[in-house]
Amino acid sequence: MLRQISLGTLGISIGSVLTIIGIAAYAANNATLNLVGFFYGIPLLLGGLALKANELKPVPFSQPTTPQVLTLRKQEATPTQNKIRQDITRYRYGQDVHLYEALSFLGLGSTDDDIPVVTGLQETEINGAYALILEFDSPSVPIDVWQKKQEKMTSFFGPGVEVKVTQPESERIELTLIVTKK
């Protein structure tokens, strides 16, 4: 649950309330509340603003996950698939795009501006196996570059996963991580 809460918004909210209490206490000549407002409220407010400025929002599911797929996920999903899903569906701070390190390591984008952006994800069943589909906006990295890196991606995302790359529409890539039967 905590990964779904923006720490920036939380800091701004609590910091604002404490700062307003401090200002009101100053006007009412209440030294104790005045100190609380200024020594805790203002730093929390500034910290919240800093976090909000560097916030990367969670990636939304492009379609709801069915109960059957949830059951399949619990039974079959690899630790890598779970980590990716949990990582991109929470707030991140100080990063420009989700999965930046992985995409850089795989050579998908030569500069920070070229790195593909995860725009959605979905969980589904493909031939009876659990599959995690990552949807990318990839205007700078064409499909042939993705396909050349497919073998490297298969080894990168670990054992027990088959990687498929498709292009459903222009400048959009779907990276599918399918659990392979043992």
Side-chain angles (χ1 to χ4, degrees):
M1 180 179 141
L2 247 169
R3 25 187 227 110
Q4 297 297 325
I5 297 172
S6 166
L7 295 177
T9 302
L10 189 64
I12 290 170
S13 301
I14 293 172
S16 296
V17 168
L18 290 176
T19 301
I20 290 169
I21 289 172
I23 292 170
Y26 179 77
N29 207 14
N30 185 338
T32 305
L33 282 179
N34 180 20
L35 288 175
V36 169
F38 286 118
F39 285 119
Y40 294 110
I42 292 175
L44 269 173
L45 178 62
L46 293 175
L49 289 169
L51 285 173
K52 198 68 171 169
N54 290 306
E55 184 175 87
L56 182 58
K57 294 185 184 322
V59 174
F61 282 88
S62 56
Q63 59 181 303
T65 305
T66 64
Q68 295 86 2
V69 174
L70 287 175
T71 303
L72 201 57
R73 180 205 313 158
K74 289 177 185 171
Q75 295 170 351
E76 294 185 358
T78 66
T80 303
Q81 286 174 317
N82 285 329
K83 182 161 177 27
I84 290 170
R85 180 182 41 78
Q86 291 168 354
D87 187 48
I88 66 175
T89 56
R90 69 182 177 98
Y91 283 93
R92 303 287 303 216
Y93 300 93
Q95 295 180 348
D96 292 329
V97 296
H98 288 283
L99 302 175
Y100 177 82
E101 292 85 10
L103 295 170
S104 295
F105 176 79
L106 292 168
L108 296 168
S110 56
T111 65
D112 287 352
D113 295 335
D114 292 346
I115 295 288
V117 176
V118 185
T119 57
L121 80 148
Q122 52 184 294
E123 297 174 295
T124 190
E125 176 185 346
I126 297 177
N127 297 327
Y130 172 75
L132 181 67
I133 301 173
L134 304 175
E135 300 164 359
F136 290 90
D137 181 25
S138 182
S140 301
V141 182
I143 184 70
D144 58 323
V145 173
W146 284 85
Q147 290 171 337
K148 287 177 188 171
K149 305 286 184 178
Q150 192 164 346
E151 187 176 317
K152 187 174 183 179
M153 284 187 253
T154 300
S155 64
F156 180 80
F157 290 117
V161 174
E162 176 187 352
V163 175
K164 289 192 177 178
V165 178
T166 57
Q167 185 174 24
E169 52 190 68
S170 179
E171 297 184 358
R172 186 165 164 246
I173 301 291
E174 285 187 353
L175 177 67
T176 307
L177 305 174
I178 308 167
V179 172
T180 55
K181 300 292 184 187
K182 295 164 179 84

